[in-house]
Amino acid sequence: MSAIDKPENPAVAESAFLKACRREPVPHTPVWFMRQAGRSLPEYLKVREGIPMLESCMRPELVTEITLQPVRRHGVDAAIYFSDIVVPLKAIGVDLDIKPGVGPVVEQPIRSRADLERLRDLTPEDVSYVTEAIRMLTAELGATPLIGFAGAPFTLASYLVEGGPSKNHEHTKALMYGDPELWADLLDRLADITAAFLKVQIEAGASAVQLFDSWVGALAPADYRRSVMPASTKVFEAVAPYGVPRIHFGVGTGELLGLMGEAGADVVGVDWRVPLDEAVRRVGPGKALQGNLDPAVLFSSREAVEAKTREVLDAASGLEGHIFNLGHGVLPTTDPGALTRLTEYVHEQTAR
Ligand code: CP3
């Protein structure tokens, strides 16, 4: 496929975040946090009051405000578009909701070939509010890059097949092992929806994309390679012509890091269980790493946070490209002041 020319603000292209993604020298290690916009911020709780989660994702002005909040407050090096991984599914008519304190719940789980037919392709018109919000956001963000994102086929399939959050993914695995053909078709359909959703975000102005395969750590490497990787690779290949960095993240994926890089990522996100100097051995050369402070560390003393952050930075010192992040999302009861101090600390410690 030939390259797609994408107009880019030169200041954004030269940002520390995009340089680190491209494994170029940086003025300081860039920092952003998964789930940086959300319940840890009082200003978020205030603007969200009385508005259901999914509805808030469809209001461009609200999305713009919520996305900007952590950038203003913490001085992070990138914004992440405020949305949720189930938004594209909702947009094509899947009957689902995000229940507070629970997560996404699907009215009629997808478990048969007839169920699969309910998943139609996503068009840009289905998510016109995303295009509108990203245009507003990039105008406001100036030199700060915007990260677009989507759920990866496996993690989306898990919500659709289980009907909600799951610890053991038993229905998902039953389908994966019991009807490999239907499973492959389901993941392939989800790959197309996900790719279409990421393209909308890139075309509207996102400078990087992250594919969240949050729950794929539930799989052994052989099953990942056979039953999941083809669909994730299809997503990465579909957005490759835009030339924007592609980040791939999952939780509990220590044994999958090499394969997740191989699936087509430019940057591999690492949770807190594998130190970055070991992660780079597993991922291999030619990719930047993102991570990986345990989000629970932020509940300890300032000294302890700094000591644990130092460990992450030391483990990352030999990397060609490092983007500092938590090993998973910000926990809702995190003190926002701890996130601001952490951002400053990483900037200070890595200033070159
Ligand atoms: O700042 C950001 O990172 C952008 C916002 C963002 C949200 N969801 C907003 C949200 C992102 C990147 C996501 C991705 C997402 N959603 C993932 C992948 C990331 C991960 O954490 O592994 C997953 C698995 C989901 C599914 C989902 N949506 C869950 C598990 C929950 C939490 C349920 C709960 O209430 O504890 C949601 C809801 C959700 N998505 C909230 C937010 C801010 C909380 C709802 C609220 O504020 O009312």
Side-chain angles (χ1 to χ4, degrees):
M1 244 184 289
S2 60
I4 298 173
D5 220 8
K6 188 182 164 291
E8 178 96 283
N9 173 341
V12 172
E14 290 307 303
S15 63
F17 170 75
L18 286 176
K19 283 187 166 181
C21 291
R22 298 191 302 255
R23 293 174 293 114
E24 294 167 9
V26 285
H28 61 263
T29 298
V31 181
W32 71 279
F33 304 116
M34 292 184 277
R35 300 287 188 104
Q36 64 190 17
R39 287 169 293 180
S40 67
L41 301 183
E43 58 270 36
Y44 168 80
L45 296 172
K46 187 149 178 274
V47 296
R48 273 287 320 281
E49 223 172 290
I51 308 172
M53 176 63 193
L54 281 172
E55 195 193 318
S56 68
C57 296
M58 296 171 193
R59 294 198 191 179
E61 280 175 12
L62 190 56
V63 167
T64 301
E65 167 59 22
I66 293 174
T67 303
L68 291 172
Q69 285 176 347
V71 179
R72 283 188 206 120
R73 185 192 263 264
H74 306 307
V76 284
D77 294 273
I80 178 157
Y81 181 70
F82 182 79
S83 183
D84 193 83
I85 58 168
V86 295
V87 162
L89 301 178
K90 182 80 183 175
I92 58 163
V94 177
D95 190 0
L96 61 83
D97 198 7
I98 296 181
K99 298 237 164 32
V102 179
V105 176
V106 180
E107 196 56 43
Q108 284 179 289
I110 293 203
R111 295 185 187 162
S112 68
R113 177 113 353 229
D115 292 334
L116 174 60
E117 299 313 319
R118 305 197 328 253
L119 296 182
R120 66 162 173 87
D121 285 339
L122 178 100
T123 67
E125 294 71 39
D126 292 320
V127 287
S128 54
Y129 47 86
V130 173
T131 300
E132 200 185 323
I134 290 184
R135 290 203 177 128
M136 286 165 73
L137 264 168
T138 47
E140 297 268 337
L141 277 165
T144 305
L146 177 69
I147 304 168
F149 76 91
F154 176 82
T155 291
L156 292 178
S158 166
Y159 283 109
L160 287 172
V161 176
E162 301 295 334
S166 167
K167 196 157 168 254
N168 298 316
H169 309 279
E170 48 269 69
H171 295 289
T172 312
K173 288 185 179 179
L175 182 63
M176 188 174 105
Y177 297 124
D179 193 343
E181 214 172 299
L182 176 57
W183 172 260
D185 290 349
L186 171 61
L187 261 73
D188 191 65
R189 183 76 56 88
L190 290 169
D192 290 341
I193 294 165
T194 297
F197 190 55
L198 290 177
K199 283 184 191 174
V200 167
Q201 296 175 66
I202 297 167
E203 292 198 356
S207 297
V209 288
Q210 176 154 322
L211 192 65
F212 280 98
D213 212 348
S214 302
W215 313 139
V216 80
L219 298 182
D223 291 326
Y224 177 82
R225 184 189 281 283
R226 182 169 45 236
S227 306
V228 174
M229 204 168 144
S232 296
T233 297
K234 190 178 192 192
V235 176
F236 285 126
E237 282 180 355
V239 296
Y242 292 96
V244 305
R246 298 158 300 170
I247 312 171
H248 199 184
F249 169 79
V251 183
T253 48
E255 301 302 327
L256 302 179
L257 288 173
L259 292 173
M260 288 177 72
E262 225 181 282
D266 304 298
V267 182
V268 177
V270 184
D271 82 0
W272 63 91
R273 294 171 180 89
V274 182
L276 294 176
D277 49 355
E278 171 58 21
V280 72
R281 275 190 286 277
R282 297 184 187 188
V283 169
K287 301 196 189 286
L289 295 187
Q290 176 173 281
N292 73 343
L293 185 73
D294 182 346
V297 165
L298 290 164
F299 290 79
S300 62
S301 67
R302 183 180 188 140
E303 293 68 36
V305 173
E306 291 186 356
K308 292 299 286 178
T309 302
R310 219 24 286 165
E311 277 179 24
V312 171
L313 295 176
D314 288 345
S317 62
L319 302 185
E320 261 190 61
H322 176 218
I323 297 126
F324 187 92
N325 205 313
L326 302 177
H328 197 186
V330 172
L331 296 165
T333 54
T334 305
D335 167 16
L339 290 167
T340 309
R341 286 193 294 277
L342 175 57
T343 310
E344 287 166 1
Y345 183 74
V346 173
H347 284 166
E348 231 170 71
Q349 291 287 309
T350 60
R352 285 171 266 256

